[in-house]
Amino acid sequence: MQKPSIPKGTRDFSPVEMMRRNYIFDTVKRVFRLYGFAPLETPSMENLSTLLGKYGDEGDKLLFKILNSGDYAAALSDDEVRQASKICEKGLRYDLTVPFARYVVQHQGELAFPFKRYQVQPVWRADRPQKGRYREFYQCDVDVIGTRSLLCEVELVEIVDRVFRALGIRVALKMNNRKILYGIAETIGHADKMTDITVAIDKLEKIGLDNVKAELLERGLEPEAVARLQPILELSGGNRQKLDALRAVIGASETGLKGIEEMETVLGYVERLGLGLQVDLDLSLARGLNYYTGAIFEVKALDFAIGSICGGGRYDDLTGIFGMPNVSGVGISFGADRIYDVMTGLNLFPEEVSSSTRVLFVNLGAEEEAASLGLLRTLRDAGIAAEIYPEAGKMKKQMEYANRRAVPYVAIVGSQEIEAQAVTLKDMRSGEQRQVPFAGLAECLK
Amino acid sequence: MQKPSIPKGTRDFSPVEMMRRNYIFDTVKRVFRLYGFAPLETPSMENLSTLLGKYGDEGDKLLFKILNSGDYAAALSDDEVRQASKICEKGLRYDLTVPFARYVVQHQGELAFPFKRYQVQPVWRADRPQKGRYREFYQCDVDVIGTRSLLCEVELVEIVDRVFRALGIRVALKMNNRKILYGIAETIGHADKMTDITVAIDKLEKIGLDNVKAELLERGLEPEAVARLQPILELSGGNRQKLDALRAVIGASETGLKGIEEMETVLGYVERLGLGLQVDLDLSLARGLNYYTGAIFEVKALDFAIGSICGGGRYDDLTGIFGMPNVSGVGISFGADRIYDVMTGLNLFPEEVSSSTRVLFVNLGAEEEAASLGLLRTLRDAGIAAEIYPEAGKMKKQMEYANRRAVPYVAIVGSQEIEAQAVTLKDMRSGEQRQVPFAGLAECLK
């Protein structure tokens, strides 16, 4: 018989991986809750009409479609069967943003706005599997929708600060504002070329100023427009300096000015809060998603080379696609897989996260087992994860089991221990053994 | 534009529903961990070869199949396209048991046996949607595999006791043993008719003794066999009495006797543990799943009419289907949806479970906001979920928002409060207001 396997691009998460992942998820969710965000879950399947056309042509191709159940193809012509639209009405969700927008529109009458929700669920994409890219992966999204208040942006910055401090990851937060990017494009007379310009700015670090300028010319900008862009490409200094310089160049663009003011407001709040987090205005930050209309965010780990581990922004019309226009929101998404990789790479998981059991009782036979069961009950009542090896057997085998499970303490209850009413407690890391009275065991293991 | 919707049989879980569901999941997982069970997750999609043939013909029809991605149908004939097997290689998991077995076989070299895992994930079934039956629902499974020790059965009984005590649900646990059922069938000379006999016993309460006997005759049992079965159908009294009576009738069946002994061992342990839980031997308990070979369990709520809310049993060859024979395990599954219904029906959710924020600061303008932001930071540092209404605006609107979100406390920080360095704190349930010094707010809200 062939050894069973799983579909390519999917993963099993072993107990140790799960405990570490849960440590991340629990931290993120705990922080979300501190800020008043409440959990939401949407179905894994959405109607294809909800999903199609929301992620561009490329995205449509990456949707996993679910075959209609029942004798779906019986009444269809061969051509109809070949059109997936006739045999599939449902697809697996591609992200958490579109289902969130769909939820808000569908339940608008029941919701209290501003609506603050977090959502931690898997999404599916039929991408070609490769290192670090999976066909099923979790997203951790937090959004507030129904207000334009910039306090929400500030709150997200605080959340970023608190999450990564709790996880022990040093990060830098890059911020930009789509209105500034639009202002730049407008100022040089190419409001229609905002995407080309931001793509070019984004390449600045990689290919250098001269190549970026050459590329802009190629994309149809006049030499004068490129010349006017130059001071922006050469912006340097702190956030305040950059904003002042920007104001001098694009201050005549109403939208651009609005973007500068928004950025100043948010940065002003952040400064007054005195966060440890480094927040940098970065004009090269564009973020691909075309629904962003205001602030955009991206977080990078300082001590580990990997792409962004968190990002997001403000959108002014996400629910418009479902017929509910002019509802502004802002949100960010934490990349659990990359955060996991950073924490593994920097050895940041606390040791106790990776073991499920605090103490294992070896099983030495019926009488010893009976004594152990009473102690186990006391420990569990005290909230201490404890277990007994289920079969009496060789001590060596039981010790090996404790080792493989990374159980930090082993309790030995033999006839001597029963007589003395004291457990022999072995610290599996140091190998040290000591006697602990039955009555003091819970306290000792806390 | 049409209001968006979700596929039939699926659900959105609103924040309040989610917080209540999480209360159940968190309780269940916390108890699982107390007993040394560790989390596991498997992919939502499995290869169809893993799933097909594992749930009977009916089950195969209820699998959700996922269309191969890419230009799947281009090179196929029309007939091939009509065969789902050619256009679908993956399906959504139908339960957590088969993926668990697949995982154990696939990763047998890495696992420490006995392997104790819990798994809380959604499963999908293309059942006809109806009240209380969904196409996507969560299962909460806990299993130990790789040992025949009856201590595992005892541990599961303890887990049932601890979970439902923590949730405040009074329950009764029914137990039976497939070996006893086989012993009965063997004793009356119809080892092959075990299913018919257990189905008949199962109907005892519903249709009465005479009808059950009639049905057994119809199913091909001789009158003498039915007569020999009669004392078993009429068993009464406590567990010990029933077991003694059973021993008298089926004691000559080796398997039956083994079942009786197993039951006695487990019940003996449970008695000595002194659990509050009522555990009853119930011969009418059969449980449909044909992979059970030893103990079987079923839990019912005592104060709410609904089907079983938890169940499971021992299986001696679950991994055999994937080529790894003779590995015994035992597990139970908690039905989150039904437990949710019981808790809602009996009003068992603690009030604080249903609100995400402990205190909302009203927003009275720039200066007041600045004072509030400092307080918010202190509260969050103390682990208290707190938020500020993001826009300055009418007090009434902000109070309504707090009410709709079920926030228990509202903090008012106006110019007077800033001068006095004391918040006006309103208890939203009683309507009572009092002054709390800034420095004492966290302590007061804990």
Side-chain angles (χ1 to χ4, degrees):
Chain A
M1 189 181 281
Q2 215 189 330
K3 206 175 174 184
S5 63
I6 51 178
K8 61 183 177 177
T10 69
R11 291 168 288 176
D12 286 320
F13 294 111
S14 73
V16 169
E17 288 167 321
M18 277 301 297
M19 289 186 277
R20 292 179 177 169
R21 286 170 64 84
N22 284 340
Y23 178 72
I24 296 171
F25 290 135
D26 290 346
T27 301
V28 168
K29 289 177 187 173
R30 180 174 54 74
V31 173
F32 291 166
R33 283 195 297 265
L34 278 184
Y35 289 80
F37 290 85
L40 176 75
E41 280 191 12
T42 60
S44 301
M45 339 177 157
E46 294 274 353
N47 292 321
L48 278 176
S49 56
T50 300
L51 300 174
L52 285 168
K54 309 304 188 298
Y55 307 106
D57 291 347
E58 200 46 46
D60 282 355
K61 284 190 203 140
L62 299 183
L63 293 175
F64 277 111
K65 302 191 181 78
I66 294 163
L67 203 65
N68 293 346
S69 46
D71 195 8
Y72 64 91
L76 298 175
S77 73
D78 290 337
D79 274 355
E80 284 176 322
V81 169
R82 281 180 179 276
Q83 293 174 291
S85 62
K86 286 287 166 62
I87 56 174
C88 296
E89 285 156 1
K90 297 176 289 294
L92 293 176
R93 73 175 157 252
Y94 180 89
D95 69 1
L96 302 177
T97 307
V98 166
F100 171 56
R102 190 267 309 146
Y103 176 86
V104 168
V105 176
Q106 191 176 335
H107 298 269
Q108 52 188 285
E110 308 147 33
L111 302 179
F113 290 99
F115 179 56
K116 301 172 83 170
R117 83 87 172 81
Y118 67 84
Q119 194 167 351
V120 177
Q121 290 192 278
V123 301
W124 295 267
R125 297 181 185 178
D127 255 322
R128 196 146 45 89
Q130 49 183 278
K131 191 179 157 11
R133 185 178 293 176
Y134 303 99
R135 295 186 139 190
E136 174 177 49
F137 57 96
Y138 271 77
Q139 291 193 334
C140 313
D141 280 21
V142 59
D143 288 83
V144 49
I145 193 164
T147 171
R148 292 175 195 278
S149 167
L150 296 172
L151 264 186
C152 303
E153 274 82 343
V154 178
E155 211 164 62
L156 295 178
V157 173
E158 283 191 76
I159 286 175
V160 166
D161 176 53
R162 208 179 276 270
V163 162
F164 290 112
R165 246 190 311 129
L167 294 175
I169 303 177
R170 296 197 319 126
V171 296
L173 174 66
K174 292 179 176 182
M175 269 192 78
N176 198 0
N177 192 302
R178 280 287 176 97
K179 294 191 180 75
I180 294 179
L181 294 176
Y182 178 84
I184 294 170
E186 197 179 39
T187 299
I188 63 168
H190 282 283
D192 58 315
K193 286 217 153 53
M194 191 174 113
T195 307
D196 292 317
I197 295 167
T198 55
V199 167
I201 294 177
D202 190 35
K203 290 187 180 168
L204 206 54
E205 250 182 71
K206 263 184 241 152
I207 64 174
L209 181 60
D210 288 341
N211 288 321
V212 164
K213 283 162 70 179
E215 187 170 324
L216 287 169
L217 292 169
E218 257 173 56
R219 283 169 185 262
L221 260 67
E222 310 78 19
E224 310 80 64
V226 174
R228 242 180 302 162
L229 201 55
Q230 176 132 358
I232 288 169
L233 298 174
E234 292 181 321
L235 276 190
S236 65
N239 295 333
R240 198 159 298 277
Q241 272 177 284
K242 284 183 187 168
L243 286 168
D244 288 344
L246 263 178
R247 194 189 300 265
V249 184
I250 68 164
S253 154
E254 196 184 327
T255 304
L257 188 61
K258 185 91 197 316
I260 292 170
E261 286 167 355
E262 286 182 8
M263 186 67 85
E264 282 174 339
T265 304
V266 172
L267 290 173
Y269 270 115
V270 169
E271 216 166 84
R272 284 194 298 281
L273 279 172
L275 303 184
L277 180 66
Q278 179 191 335
V279 181
D280 295 320
L281 166 60
D282 182 346
L283 284 181
S284 75
L285 177 64
R287 290 192 73 78
L289 296 165
N290 56 12
Y291 50 72
Y292 290 131
T293 51
I296 42 184
F297 305 94
E298 202 163 272
V299 180
K300 288 215 169 189
L302 290 175
D303 306 315
F304 194 82
I306 201 166
S308 78
I309 54 178
C310 175
R314 179 171 286 276
Y315 39 85
D316 279 341
D317 198 24
L318 194 62
T319 53
I321 45 176
F322 296 116
M324 186 183 170
N326 300 319
V327 183
S328 186
V330 58
I332 51 173
S333 181
F334 288 80
D337 285 315
R338 283 190 178 165
I339 293 173
Y340 185 96
D341 289 345
V342 172
M343 294 193 64
T344 304
L346 298 176
N347 202 16
L348 293 177
F349 288 109
E351 196 176 352
E352 64 272 20
V353 166
S354 310
S355 69
S356 47
T357 295
R358 185 108 179 108
V359 59
L360 175 87
F361 283 69
V362 295
N363 194 326
L364 299 170
E367 203 179 320
E368 294 84 350
E369 186 189 273
S372 300
L373 288 179
L375 289 167
L376 281 164
R377 196 160 171 76
T378 310
L379 293 180
R380 289 163 181 158
D381 283 344
I384 297 162
E387 57 182 301
I388 182 166
Y389 196 81
E391 298 163 13
K394 288 208 180 103
M395 181 75 102
K396 185 158 173 278
K397 188 179 170 192
Q398 300 189 38
M399 286 293 183
E400 269 173 21
Y401 176 76
N403 257 329
R404 291 195 63 177
R405 294 271 315 276
V407 178
Y409 293 98
V410 165
I412 299 160
V413 180
S415 50
Q416 287 186 334
E417 281 83 3
I418 294 177
E419 203 177 321
Q421 291 286 295
V423 181
T424 299
L425 192 68
K426 179 169 182 172
D427 182 324
M428 294 298 279
R429 278 161 297 195
S430 67
E432 194 189 308
Q433 288 194 181
R434 57 185 167 135
Q435 303 299 123
V436 180
F438 283 1
L441 189 58
E443 193 51 46
C444 171
L445 287 168
K446 267 227 162 130
Chain B
M1 189 180 281
Q2 216 189 331
K3 204 175 177 184
S5 63
I6 51 177
K8 61 182 178 178
T10 69
R11 291 168 289 176
D12 286 321
F13 293 111
S14 72
V16 169
E17 288 167 321
M18 277 302 296
M19 289 186 277
R20 292 180 177 168
R21 285 169 65 84
N22 283 341
Y23 177 72
I24 296 171
F25 290 135
D26 291 346
T27 302
V28 168
K29 289 176 187 172
R30 180 174 54 74
V31 173
F32 291 167
R33 283 194 297 265
L34 278 184
Y35 288 80
F37 290 85
L40 176 75
E41 280 189 13
T42 59
S44 300
M45 335 176 159
E46 294 275 352
N47 292 320
L48 278 177
S49 56
T50 299
L51 300 174
L52 285 167
K54 308 304 188 298
Y55 306 105
D57 291 348
E58 200 46 46
D60 283 355
K61 284 189 202 141
L62 300 183
L63 293 174
F64 277 113
K65 301 190 181 79
I66 295 162
L67 204 64
N68 292 346
S69 46
D71 196 7
Y72 65 92
L76 298 177
S77 73
D78 289 336
D79 274 356
E80 284 175 322
V81 169
R82 281 178 182 276
Q83 294 174 289
S85 64
K86 285 288 166 61
I87 57 175
C88 296
E89 285 157 1
K90 296 177 288 295
L92 293 175
R93 73 174 156 253
Y94 180 89
D95 69 2
L96 303 177
T97 307
V98 166
F100 171 55
R102 191 266 309 146
Y103 177 86
V104 168
V105 176
Q106 193 177 335
H107 298 269
Q108 52 189 287
E110 308 148 32
L111 302 179
F113 290 100
F115 179 56
K116 302 172 83 170
R117 83 88 174 80
Y118 68 84
Q119 194 168 350
V120 177
Q121 290 191 279
V123 300
W124 295 268
R125 297 182 186 178
D127 255 320
R128 197 145 46 89
Q130 50 184 280
K131 189 176 160 9
R133 185 179 293 178
Y134 303 100
R135 294 184 142 191
E136 174 178 48
F137 57 96
Y138 271 76
Q139 291 192 335
C140 312
D141 280 21
V142 59
D143 288 83
V144 49
I145 194 164
T147 171
R148 293 174 195 278
S149 167
L150 296 171
L151 264 187
C152 302
E153 274 82 346
V154 178
E155 210 164 62
L156 294 178
V157 172
E158 282 192 75
I159 285 175
V160 166
D161 176 53
R162 208 179 276 270
V163 162
F164 290 112
R165 246 191 310 132
L167 295 175
I169 302 177
R170 298 197 318 128
V171 296
L173 174 66
K174 290 179 177 182
M175 271 192 76
N176 198 359
N177 192 301
R178 279 288 177 95
K179 294 191 180 74
I180 293 179
L181 294 175
Y182 179 85
I184 294 171
E186 197 179 38
T187 299
I188 62 168
H190 282 283
D192 57 316
K193 286 216 154 52
M194 191 174 113
T195 308
D196 293 316
I197 294 167
T198 54
V199 166
I201 294 177
D202 190 34
K203 290 187 181 169
L204 206 53
E205 250 181 73
K206 263 184 239 150
I207 63 174
L209 181 61
D210 288 343
N211 288 320
V212 164
K213 282 161 72 178
E215 190 171 320
L216 287 169
L217 291 169
E218 258 173 56
R219 282 169 187 262
L221 260 67
E222 309 79 18
E224 308 80 64
V226 175
R228 242 180 302 162
L229 201 56
Q230 175 130 0
I232 288 168
L233 298 175
E234 292 180 321
L235 276 191
S236 66
N239 295 333
R240 198 158 295 276
Q241 271 176 286
K242 283 184 189 168
L243 286 168
D244 287 344
L246 264 177
R247 194 190 298 266
V249 183
I250 68 165
S253 153
E254 197 185 329
T255 304
L257 188 61
K258 186 94 197 315
I260 293 171
E261 286 167 357
E262 286 182 10
M263 186 65 87
E264 281 174 339
T265 303
V266 172
L267 290 173
Y269 270 115
V270 169
E271 216 165 86
R272 285 195 295 281
L273 280 172
L275 304 183
L277 179 66
Q278 177 191 336
V279 181
D280 295 320
L281 166 60
D282 182 346
L283 284 182
S284 74
L285 178 65
R287 291 192 73 78
L289 296 164
N290 56 13
Y291 50 71
Y292 290 131
T293 50
I296 42 184
F297 305 94
E298 203 163 272
V299 180
K300 289 215 169 189
L302 289 176
D303 306 315
F304 195 81
I306 200 165
S308 79
I309 55 179
C310 176
R314 178 170 286 275
Y315 40 84
D316 279 341
D317 198 25
L318 194 61
T319 54
I321 46 177
F322 296 114
M324 186 182 169
N326 300 320
V327 182
S328 186
V330 58
I332 52 174
S333 182
F334 288 79
D337 285 315
R338 284 190 178 165
I339 293 173
Y340 185 96
D341 289 346
V342 172
M343 294 193 65
T344 304
L346 298 176
N347 202 16
L348 293 176
F349 287 109
E351 196 175 352
E352 65 271 20
V353 166
S354 310
S355 71
S356 48
T357 295
R358 185 109 180 110
V359 59
L360 175 88
F361 283 69
V362 295
N363 194 326
L364 300 169
E367 203 179 318
E368 293 86 348
E369 187 187 273
S372 300
L373 287 180
L375 289 168
L376 280 163
R377 197 160 170 75
T378 311
L379 292 181
R380 289 163 181 159
D381 284 343
I384 296 163
E387 57 181 302
I388 182 167
Y389 195 80
E391 299 163 12
K394 288 206 181 102
M395 180 75 103
K396 185 159 174 279
K397 188 179 169 192
Q398 299 189 37
M399 286 293 183
E400 268 172 22
Y401 176 76
N403 257 328
R404 290 195 63 178
R405 294 271 314 276
V407 179
Y409 293 98
V410 165
I412 300 160
V413 180
S415 50
Q416 287 185 333
E417 280 84 2
I418 294 177
E419 203 178 318
Q421 292 286 294
V423 181
T424 299
L425 192 67
K426 180 170 181 172
D427 182 324
M428 296 297 279
R429 277 161 298 193
S430 67
E432 193 191 309
Q433 287 194 180
R434 57 182 167 138
Q435 306 297 310
V436 180
F438 282 0
L441 188 59
E443 192 53 45
C444 171
L445 286 169
K446 268 230 161 128

